[in-house]
Structures are given as C-alpha cells and as structure tokens.
Amino acid sequence: MIKIIEASFVTSAPSIELAPPSDTMEVVFLGRSNVGKSSLINALTNRKNLAKKSSTPGKTRLINFFNILFTKDKERFNARFVDLPGFGYAKVSKQELAKWQKSLNEFIEKREAIRLFVLLVDSRHPDLEIDVGVFEHVNSIKRADQEIIQVFTKIDKLKQSELALIKKMDGIPVSVLKQKGIEKLTKEIFKTLYGEIND
Ligand SMILES: Nc1nc2c(ncn2[C@@H]2O[C@H](COP(=O)(O)OP(=O)(O)OP(=O)(O)O)[C@@H](O)[C@H]2O)c(=O)[nH]1
Ligand SMILES: [Mg+2]
C-alpha cells in the first residue's frame, strides 16, 4: 500500500530563480484559479491546511513547495509537490498578470526537477479552451522524463449522466469533498516517480 505519511511546507517563491534547489523529484499541480489545486494537495497529504485554499480565486500567488514522504511496505520515498498560482485570474493589472505568466512559464519549462504535471480541470467544464491550450502547451514542452496526468475535480457536483461522461475521458475523476479518486491518484503519482508498483 502506497501512502503519504509526511508533508511539510518548504518555501514560497515568486520565480524559478528564487526557488529551492532542484534536488528532489517534483510533481507540479496546475490549473485554472479555483479549480481545487490547493484542496487536492491537502487531500493527498491528508492535511487540512497545508496548502491554503479559499473561495477567493487567485489566493495562491506564489509557487509553493512541499516536501512529501511516501511509504510503500516499509520503504520511504521522497518527493516534492509544487502548488502553482492558478491561471486565468484577472483581478490584477495586465502588467502584473503578464509578469506572473512569464515566471510561471519559465518555471514549467526550465525547472529540472519536474517529473510530473498534474493538470486539474473542473469536471463541470471539461472542454474549456484555456484548459485545452494549457494541456497542449505542456505537452509540447514536456521532456522525455516527464509525464502529464489529467485530473477532473469536484465530481461531487456532477449528475450521474455527467459523471458517466467524465469517466470515459482520459484522466482521474476526483472529489476532495467525498474523498473520491484520492487513493488512485496517490498511486499514479508514485508510479510515475518510482516506477511500477505491485499492490
Ligand atoms: N464541492 C467541492 N468543492 C471543492 C472541491 N475541491 C475544492 N473545492 C472548493 O473549491 C474552492 C477552491 O479551492 P482551492 O483548492 O483553493 O482552489 P485553487 O485551485 O488552489 O485556487 P487558486 O489558489 O486560487 O488558484 C474552495 O472553495 C474549495 O473548498 C471538491 O472536490 N468538491
Ligand atoms: Mg491554491
């Protein structure tokens, strides 16, 4: 059984230059503002308030780093989770927004330690142009040692018929509220970082 047994905040940084040393395999969580990135990190790590969540979009303005400890059987495995500011948040000046997007792009493209991009998409709006665009962008810059996992968030808000459609799509449906898909995602993350698992 794969578990995350420890999680701790490392630091926040506005840009790749000020990020901590790129010495631990990183899992980057990205998606539109309010899609549920911080809530998902809290659910995966079983912590209420590790990553700050809020009902105000754009709460996460810095790149936040968390050290993670997985266990499998009795072995321990290190990783780092990275909570990125949500894109598409408009309540800042155009100039600030542009600066922000530039540093996000730089981080995504140049950060050595990234092994996995977890792309969050609101399950109620699975085909938004902005999400498709981000998927294609990440896919186009992705190195040979990097993977993408798509996650459909907030599935507790779906009708049965909508859920059936989401389940046919390429991604992991999750609900933090109903604790759905969290274990599966934990396993998938572990598998991309550390290879096949038999449990
Ligand atoms: N119903 C439901 N609400 C959720 C779920 N996950 C997150 N939320 C809510 O969605 C809102 C936004 O969640 P956050 O985790 O702060 O979203 P974020 O993507 O980190 O947002 P930014 O930091 O602004 O980019 C909060 O009110 C959460 O409680 C879920 O699985 N189900
Ligand atoms: Mg957040």
Side-chain angles (χ1 to χ4, degrees):
M1 168 112 169
I2 313 283
K3 268 191 165 167
I4 291 173
I5 54 160
E6 276 174 44
S8 58
F9 174 72
V10 181
T11 189
S12 296
S15 63
I16 188 164
E17 288 82 13
L18 296 168
S22 195
D23 56 5
T24 309
M25 288 196 284
E26 284 176 350
V27 178
V28 166
F29 293 79
L30 75 165
R32 280 186 307 123
S33 238
N34 214 41
V35 70
K37 296 175 293 295
S38 303
S39 305
L40 183 62
I41 290 178
N42 290 336
L44 288 165
T45 55
N46 205 8
R47 294 272 297 271
K48 275 212 169 68
N49 232 347
L50 184 70
K52 302 276 175 287
K53 67 172 173 113
S54 86
S55 46
T56 326
K59 173 90 177 176
T60 315
R61 281 156 191 260
L62 294 164
I63 306 170
N64 295 312
F65 298 85
F66 305 94
N67 279 345
I68 302 297
L69 190 61
F70 284 93
T71 55
K72 180 179 175 265
D73 306 326
K74 282 188 178 136
E75 268 188 274
R76 292 160 167 256
F77 301 84
N78 288 100
R80 191 170 281 155
F81 284 0
V82 182
D83 190 9
L84 288 185
F87 48 81
Y89 175 62
K91 270 194 188 160
V92 289
S93 71
K94 270 203 178 134
Q95 207 179 1
E96 198 183 334
L97 189 66
K99 211 169 85 188
W100 197 2
Q101 275 166 354
K102 185 164 169 279
S103 48
L104 270 189
N105 270 337
E106 225 164 24
F107 185 83
I108 291 169
E109 290 178 24
K110 299 192 182 142
R111 180 78 171 171
E112 281 287 322
I114 300 176
R115 290 292 176 279
L116 174 61
F117 296 98
V118 178
L119 234 66
L120 284 78
V121 173
D122 190 320
S123 62
R124 292 167 296 176
H125 315 285
D127 299 312
L128 293 184
E129 209 174 306
I130 185 162
D131 290 327
V132 175
V134 168
F135 181 88
E136 280 169 2
H137 176 64
V138 175
N139 204 29
S140 72
I141 55 138
K142 182 167 79 74
R143 302 186 309 247
D145 64 343
Q146 295 176 325
E147 305 261 353
I148 303 178
I149 295 179
Q150 239 184 146
V151 165
F152 296 106
T153 63
K154 310 191 187 184
I155 56 162
D156 52 275
K157 294 190 183 243
L158 298 184
K159 294 185 204 131
Q160 283 305 319
S161 57
E162 293 169 327
L163 183 60
L165 285 178
I166 285 290
K167 283 185 172 168
K168 286 189 189 147
M169 298 177 79
D170 184 19
I172 303 180
V174 303
S175 165
V176 163
L177 202 73
K178 301 268 182 205
Q179 279 289 308
K180 293 262 196 299
I182 304 300
E183 224 174 282
K184 176 161 188 204
L185 181 58
T186 306
K187 275 192 199 167
E188 287 299 321
I189 292 173
F190 186 87
K191 206 163 80 179
T192 21
L193 298 180
Y194 287 102
E196 266 316 312
I197 42 175
N198 3 305
D199 82 338

